[in-house]
Amino acid sequence: MIAILIFYSGKLIASNELSVNNFFSFLAAMMLAYQPVRSLSTLNIIVHEGLSAAARILPVVDTKNLIKNNENAKEIDIQNGGIKFKDVLFSYKKSDGDVLKKVNLEFEGGKMTSLVGHSGSGKSTILNLIPRFYDRIKGDIQIDNQSIYNVTIESLRNNISLVSQETTLFDDTIKNNIKYANLNASEEEIYKAAKLSFSDEFINKLPKKYETLIGEDGVRLSGGEKQRISIARALALNPQILICDEPVSALDVSVQARIINLLEDMKSKFGLTVIFISHDLSVVKNISDRVSVMYLGKMCEIGDSDLIYEKPAHPYTRVLLAAIPDPDNMHSGTVDLLEGELPSAINPPSGCRFRTRCPRAESKCEEEEPSLQQVGNEDHWVACHFPHTNFENDPVSNDRAE
C-alpha cells in the first residue's frame, strides 16, 4: 500500500499538482500514525482480557466480610499459648454436611502438636479456625482460656504466624518479602528473623544480599530457600503461635530434615506453640510432643508422641504407622492395609466413621459413635469401641522391653 501511495504521489509531483515538501510532510505524518493505528487492532483483545480479569476479581472485591469483631471485643493477652477446641462444629456451607463435628482438642502451650491424617480429614480446616479465617457454627475455641470470639481479630492474628505448603512470595526484594508480615519491622528485626531461620546463610552469598530481586513466586530461589524465607517472614511477626500446614511435603528429604530441625529449634528457643500438619506420620515422629490423628473430621487418637508410635490403639493409626515406607519400620506387616474407597467427609458413615474400612468393626460400631476414652493412666486417648490394647505381641513393645 505504501508503494502504491509513493507511485501515485510521484505522478502528482511530476504534474506539479503536489510539491515535494508537502509529499514528505504527508509521508512523515503517515509513518508516525502507522504504529498507533496498528495497535488499535489489539485493542479488542486487551479489552476482553480486562473484562475476563474483572469478572474474577470484582466478585472478590465486592464480597462482604462476615468475620467481624464482636461487640466489646478486647485485645488478647497470650502468655502460655495453649489452645482448646470445645465441641466445635463446622461446615463450609449450611447446605453441606459437617466437616468437623463436636471436635474436642487441646494444643499445649509451648509444645509442638502434630495433626495427622489423610487429605480431606479436616486438618487444615482446624488451622483455619484458629486465626478466624472462618467461624465455627457451634462450640468455642480458646487461647489461654480466652475465647477467640471475644477478642479483636487484629490482636489475635498479630500473635499467629502461618507457614504453608505453597509459599507465596512476591516479585520484590528478599528484605521486603520478609517484611511483608510486619510492615513496621526494623532492618535489625528483619536480619534477626533471617538469621533465626538460617536464611542468612544463602542471602549473604547473593550479589545484592537482602536487596536481591527474587522474581514472581521466588522463581530465582530453590524450594528450601523459599521455605526458609517463609519461616523468616513468620518470625518477623514475633508470634506466640506458629501454624505449619504441611510445610515440607513438597521438599526433598534432605531439605525436609533441615526445615523440621529448624522448627524444633525455634520451639525450644522461644517457647512457641507449634501446630504441625502432615499426612505422613514418619515426618512428625521425632519432633512432636503430642500427636492427634484425624479421620473424616473426627479425632481418632490423641496422646504423647512416644505412646502413639509405640502403642497405637486405634486401627486407623496402626494402618498409618504400618504404611510408613521405611525398611526399619517396626510396624510394617502388623496390620493389613486399608481397602475400599474413602467415604465422603460431608456424608460420613453412621456411628464410627472408620467402620467401613475397619477390620475390627462390629454392629455396635454402626449404631454408636465412639467418644475419646483414656488408655490406661497415661496421656493417651482413643475413640474406638474395640481399641487395640494388647501390646505384648507388638514388635515395638517387645523391642522396647528388651
Side-chain angles (χ1 to χ4, degrees):
M1 183 176 178
I2 295 176
I4 294 173
L5 181 63
I6 293 174
F7 175 76
Y8 181 68
S9 299
K11 290 186 66 176
L12 293 176
I13 294 171
S15 61
N16 293 322
E17 294 181 40
L18 179 67
S19 68
V20 175
N21 291 339
N22 287 339
F23 167 70
F24 280 108
S25 296
F26 173 76
L27 185 62
M30 186 187 70
M31 296 301 291
L32 290 172
Y34 175 74
Q35 190 60 38
V37 172
R38 185 182 178 186
S39 65
L40 289 176
S41 64
T42 63
L43 182 61
N44 184 50
I45 298 174
I46 295 172
V47 169
H48 278 83
E49 287 179 346
L51 291 174
S52 298
R56 295 192 300 269
I57 294 173
L58 292 180
V60 177
V61 175
D62 295 337
T63 300
K64 292 183 179 180
N65 185 9
L66 302 178
I67 310 297
K68 298 180 180 179
N69 287 326
N70 290 345
E71 193 175 348
N72 301 321
K74 300 178 180 179
E75 299 279 315
I76 193 168
D77 179 24
I78 298 180
Q79 299 294 329
N80 184 44
I83 304 171
K84 292 181 180 178
F85 280 64
K86 295 186 174 181
D87 293 327
V88 173
L89 182 72
F90 175 77
S91 65
Y92 285 99
K93 294 181 180 179
K94 292 182 179 179
S95 58
D96 293 339
D98 299 327
V99 178
L100 301 177
K101 184 177 180 181
K102 291 186 178 180
V103 169
N104 289 282
L105 181 62
E106 182 175 353
F107 301 99
E108 292 188 28
K111 293 187 177 182
M112 182 181 290
T113 302
S114 293
L115 277 175
V116 181
H118 64 270
S119 298
S121 61
K123 306 184 300 297
S124 295
T125 299
I126 282 181
L127 296 196
N128 287 332
L129 293 178
I130 296 173
R132 290 190 65 188
F133 294 151
Y134 297 93
D135 273 349
R136 83 318 185 206
I137 295 176
K138 292 182 181 179
D140 194 19
I141 302 173
Q142 298 179 353
I143 299 179
D144 285 353
N145 297 319
Q146 304 164 82
S147 174
I148 64 173
Y149 306 104
N150 293 330
V151 300
T152 62
I153 297 172
E154 182 179 6
S155 67
L156 173 67
R157 294 179 181 174
N158 282 342
N159 284 280
I160 300 173
S161 282
L162 173 66
V163 179
S164 62
Q165 176 182 354
E166 297 181 3
T167 304
T168 302
L169 297 176
F170 303 97
D171 188 8
D172 205 339
T173 63
I174 289 177
K175 182 173 73 174
N176 287 340
N177 270 280
I178 296 175
K179 192 175 182 179
Y180 182 75
N182 182 6
L183 298 179
N184 296 319
S186 64
E187 288 197 1
E188 183 179 348
E189 289 174 322
I190 293 172
Y191 298 152
K192 181 181 178 182
K195 187 174 183 179
L196 290 171
S197 65
F198 299 110
S199 301
D200 62 330
E201 292 182 359
F202 73 88
I203 293 175
N204 289 325
K205 294 178 181 178
L206 299 172
K208 294 186 179 180
K209 299 184 179 181
Y210 286 84
E211 298 300 327
T212 301
L213 292 171
I214 61 175
E216 190 70 30
D217 281 334
V219 294
R220 296 187 179 93
L221 302 178
S222 68
E225 289 170 344
K226 288 194 289 187
Q227 200 60 284
R228 278 186 278 174
I229 292 292
S230 177
I231 294 173
R233 177 194 291 168
L235 292 177
L237 190 61
N238 295 316
Q240 298 292 323
I241 298 168
L242 183 62
I243 296 175
C244 303
D245 191 354
E246 302 210 40
V248 298
S249 61
L251 305 177
D252 61 61
V253 176
S254 61
V255 179
Q256 276 188 11
R258 187 159 194 180
I259 297 297
I260 288 173
N261 289 336
L262 168 60
L263 293 172
E264 187 176 20
D265 188 52
M266 289 192 306
K267 179 206 72 173
S268 302
K269 280 185 177 179
F270 305 106
L272 298 178
T273 300
V274 181
I275 305 173
F276 190 97
I277 276 189
S278 179
H279 61 273
D280 188 350
L281 273 165
S282 63
V283 171
V284 302
K285 180 177 180 180
N286 298 316
I287 63 170
S288 304
D289 297 299
R290 302 185 86 236
V291 173
S292 299
V293 182
M294 291 190 69
Y295 184 82
L296 295 181
K298 295 287 290 185
M299 291 298 158
C300 295
E301 193 162 3
I302 302 173
D304 177 81
S305 177
D306 290 337
L307 290 173
I308 296 294
Y309 280 91
E310 295 176 5
K311 298 180 179 181
H314 197 284
Y316 179 55
T317 309
R318 295 176 65 80
V319 168
L320 291 179
L321 286 170
I324 295 175
D326 184 346
D328 297 323
N329 180 11
M330 300 298 292
H331 293 282
S332 180
T334 58
V335 295
D336 294 329
L337 298 181
L338 292 180
E339 296 182 357
E341 295 294 328
L342 179 69
S344 168
I346 296 176
N347 186 26
S350 61
C352 175
R353 299 189 174 197
F354 187 62
R355 67 173 175 79
T356 58
R357 309 177 80 190
C358 180
R360 303 168 72 93
E362 297 185 13
S363 58
K364 182 179 181 180
C365 303
E366 182 178 357
E367 299 166 358
E368 182 181 338
E369 186 173 32
S371 59
L372 285 169
Q373 303 291 332
Q374 190 172 14
V375 179
N377 297 317
E378 300 175 296
D379 179 22
H380 192 183
W381 305 77
V382 62
C384 181
H385 293 306
F386 307 102
H388 183 89
T389 55
N390 181 14
F391 302 105
E392 293 181 2
N393 296 323
D394 278 7
V396 178
S397 300
N398 290 338
D399 183 65
R400 188 181 185 192
E402 292 173 3

